[in-house]
Amino acid sequence: MSIVIIGGNERMVCQYTDICKGYGYKAKIFPKENGSIRKKIGSPDLMVLFTNTVSHKMVLSASQEAKKNNIPVARIHTSSASALKTALDQHCVFA
C-alpha cells in the first residue's frame, strides 16, 4: 500500500513518513514542486494534498492526475501530523 503526500512542511517529512509506516503505507512526499509531478506519482492508494502549503497550480495538476488514474484524494488545509493521522484513519475505514 502506498500514499503520496503533496505539500506540507519540509521539516516534517520524517514525521509524515513515520506516521504512514505506522498505518502500513509506503510514502512518497513532495513538499515542494520540483519539476513535473505526473511522472513521479505512480499509482498510490491515496493522495493527500496539504492545500495551505502548496501552490494552486500544483493542486490542479495533482488533482487531474488523481482523477485520471482513479486515485482517492484527501484534501487537508493544515499540514499537521494530527491532520494526516485523521485522514489516514478515515481512509483505513473505507479501504
Side-chain angles (χ1 to χ4, degrees), residues 28 30 34-43 61 65 69:
K28 287 185 185 177
F30 303 102
N34 294 331
S36 178
I37 288 185
R38 293 179 182 176
K39 298 175 185 174
K40 299 175 187 175
I41 289 177
S43 57
S61 68
E65 280 300 307
N69 296 324

Side-chain angles (χ1 to χ4, degrees), residues 76-93:
I76 306 170
H77 185 68
T78 62
S79 56
S80 66
S82 62
L84 178 60
K85 287 178 185 178
T86 302
L88 292 176
D89 284 336
Q90 290 174 352
H91 179 69
C92 287
V93 169

Side-chain angles (χ1 to χ4, degrees), residues 38 49 55-66 75:
R38 293 179 182 176
L49 291 173
S55 69
H56 187 68
K57 177 184 167 189
M58 197 167 171
V59 169
L60 286 176
S61 68
S63 296
Q64 288 172 351
E65 280 300 307
R75 292 176 182 251

